[in-house]
Amino acid sequence: MAYSLDSLLIHGGIDGDKVTGAVNVPIYQTSTYKQSELGVNTGWEYSRTGNPTRAALEKLIADLEGGEFGLAFASGLAAIHTVLSLFQAGDRIIISDNIYGGTFRILDKVFKPLGLQYVITDTTDAAKIEAAIDSNTKAIYIETPANPLLSVTDIAETAKIARKAGALLIVDNTFLTPYLQRPLTLGADIVVHSGTKYLGGHSDTISGLVALRDAKIAERLYFLQNAIGGVLSPFDSFLTIRGIKTLGVRMDRHVANATKIAEWLQQSGYVKKVYYPGLPSDPGYAVQKKQADGPGAMISFVLKDEFDYRAFFRNLRLITLAESLGGVESLVCHPASMTHASIPADIRQKTGIVDELIRFSVGIENVDDLIEDLRGAIEASRR
Ligand SMILES: *Cc1c(COP(=O)(O)O)cnc(C)c1O
């Protein structure tokens, strides 16, 4: 019988330990494995190549995303590095115009000097993607909702365009997780994650994950994972598995809190603009509703000019000013100087990542406490 996602979160992948009956997969804290004679081992050789705790997480992310293959890395960017290593000098990748700053940085500062081209386009508009495609285009790389403006790209439609062009569709699914959105089932070829965020869920681990269906691409990725070596440690694999067990209940609360806060912000009179695909007024609302089971819990907003955003950050009590997102605790950040500082100022302005933009990762605290904290900090920031 095929289990529902709620059950897979807890029992998917490798469920417990067959040898001892331990209900949790043990932390196999070992670098190497005994060979009984030359060339004869138990299937495990060396922990960069494979480790049972990491393998349990890799199987789990594959199950959750509706994929066949999973890979776990030491960070989201290590995962992205390995996926981008599928391409060669002369290849071209189309990327969304708002995308995680580190993803842009690795493309611009690491892969571009090696000859891999990228072109930035508004992927919420299918015609613009089609216009950006040329004979060297090997991939379309999107986030949806994207970081930090929460713009929504139609995954199924983009997958069709990619297939027609003979290009891969790569989706960074960090913001929604497979609990809310499963890009492989909508036609994407590769899903990447920063497991650091909602999957780990407790702001205590850095990890990256990949899931896919195609055996040939998977074989190449396993080769690259071992060859480049940015693998996730056994302990961090354990922590990520542990985080995933509660993903469903956490996401339900995250989304409920975020929905209430986005609605409050919108009618508060404090803001010029709220970006949240769960608001019916948001341009991404319809596509979001069609392709995902919820809008997630990332909100971005711009305060009216009578409020000073620096003072707002200073006056928060419960909500923490910090990089990262997706943990149980509420975090705010200033994309222009923090997560997206690596994107040139002119590109930031053009795409809407203005200096006044505030990004809010809504945690699972009491929602009224969060609203009171926002109200207090905004009032205290009045010029
Ligand atoms: C954080 C993040 C990454 C990078 O992941 P790390 O685990 O920090 O390396 C990639 N994509 C998105 C959408 C992110 O939020």
Side-chain angles (χ1 to χ4, degrees):
M1 155 191 170
Y3 293 113
S4 70
L5 199 75
D6 285 321
S7 301
L8 282 181
L9 291 170
I10 294 149
H11 299 289
I14 295 178
D15 191 17
D17 179 42
K18 279 203 184 69
V19 178
T20 62
V23 297
N24 288 301
V25 175
I27 301 167
Y28 283 91
Q29 193 67 41
T30 188
S31 63
T32 191
Y33 308 82
K34 181 176 172 175
Q35 307 193 1
S36 56
E37 57 179 285
L38 269 181
V40 180
N41 59 37
T42 58
W44 305 99
E45 237 165 66
Y46 185 60
S47 279
R48 169 160 38 73
T49 319
N51 174 280
T53 317
R54 193 178 91 221
L57 173 61
E58 292 177 328
K59 174 96 173 43
L60 179 58
I61 193 64
D63 286 357
L64 296 178
E65 287 285 4
E68 294 289 329
F69 306 96
L71 300 95
F73 296 90
S75 69
L77 272 171
I80 292 165
H81 180 185
T82 302
V83 168
L84 292 176
S85 301
L86 289 169
F87 305 104
Q88 319 219 327
D91 289 352
R92 193 154 171 271
I93 296 181
I94 296 172
I95 59 173
S96 305
D97 63 2
N98 68 100
I99 199 163
Y100 178 69
T103 304
F104 175 78
R105 182 177 54 200
I106 196 171
L107 274 165
D108 191 56
K109 297 286 194 295
V110 180
F111 282 98
K112 189 174 142 199
L114 299 174
L116 182 62
Q117 311 285 321
Y118 69 83
V119 53
I120 301 172
T121 194
D122 173 6
T123 55
T124 66
D125 183 342
K128 287 189 182 152
I129 305 178
E130 278 180 323
I133 283 177
D134 70 2
S135 59
N136 294 323
T137 302
K138 294 290 159 57
I140 303 172
Y141 187 107
I142 63 169
E143 290 173 17
T144 180
N147 190 353
L149 294 174
L150 292 322
S151 57
V152 176
T153 294
D154 189 321
I155 298 172
E157 195 173 356
T158 310
K160 273 190 218 135
I161 297 170
R163 192 156 311 121
K164 212 171 77 193
L168 300 177
L169 175 61
I170 304 166
V171 179
D172 183 331
N173 202 28
T174 299
F175 273 26
L176 291 190
T177 80
Y179 184 69
L180 296 177
Q181 177 171 275
R182 289 161 299 282
L184 298 179
T185 68
L186 299 168
D189 298 289
I190 300 176
V191 166
V192 299
H193 278 283
S194 171
T196 311
K197 316 296 169 52
Y198 293 100
L199 294 174
H202 297 75
S203 303
D204 56 9
T205 315
I206 300 280
S207 70
L209 298 165
V210 172
L212 72 163
R213 286 177 166 173
D214 185 279
K216 243 180 101 183
I217 302 170
E219 191 187 338
R220 179 70 183 162
L221 283 175
Y222 286 121
F223 170 81
L224 290 168
Q225 180 189 38
N226 185 52
I228 299 172
V231 295
L232 193 62
S233 76
F235 183 60
D236 288 317
S237 299
F238 165 82
L239 281 177
T240 307
I241 292 169
R242 185 164 92 152
I244 288 172
K245 287 181 196 291
T246 57
L247 180 68
V249 287
R250 283 188 287 109
M251 286 313 280
D252 287 347
R253 174 70 91 87
H254 277 297
V255 172
N257 280 1
T259 303
K260 196 160 173 194
I261 288 170
E263 285 166 359
W264 175 79
L265 276 171
Q266 197 172 42
Q267 57 72 54
S268 67
Y270 291 140
V271 297
K272 263 193 215 167
K273 199 157 171 60
V274 183
Y275 298 89
Y276 184 59
L279 290 171
S281 58
D282 191 274
Y285 182 77
V287 174
Q288 175 69 21
K289 224 176 152 91
K290 177 185 78 170
Q291 69 186 6
D293 296 330
M298 296 301 298
I299 299 175
S300 288
F301 58 94
V302 179
L303 293 173
K304 286 188 173 162
D305 293 339
E306 65 225 67
F307 305 103
D308 172 3
Y309 67 88
R310 290 172 199 280
F312 164 78
F313 286 123
R314 218 166 31 236
N315 283 289
L316 289 165
R317 297 284 171 269
L318 182 62
I319 301 164
T320 305
L321 172 62
E323 304 257 2
S324 201
L325 60 105
V328 289
E329 64 286 289
S330 289
L331 301 179
V332 281
C333 93
H334 179 235
S337 70
M338 296 167 73
T339 49
H340 291 69
S342 53
I343 298 176
D346 56 323
I347 298 184
R348 281 205 312 266
Q349 283 298 331
K350 230 175 35 206
T351 54
I353 309 173
V354 296
D355 284 353
E356 295 77 21
L357 188 77
I358 296 164
R359 192 190 75 182
F360 185 12
S361 168
V362 180
I364 63 171
E365 298 95 336
N366 178 284
V367 69
D368 297 323
D369 289 347
L370 293 175
I371 289 174
E372 273 321 298
D373 199 33
L374 288 173
R375 190 202 312 275
I378 295 171
E379 283 294 348
S381 73
R382 206 181 274 280
R383 291 179 202 276

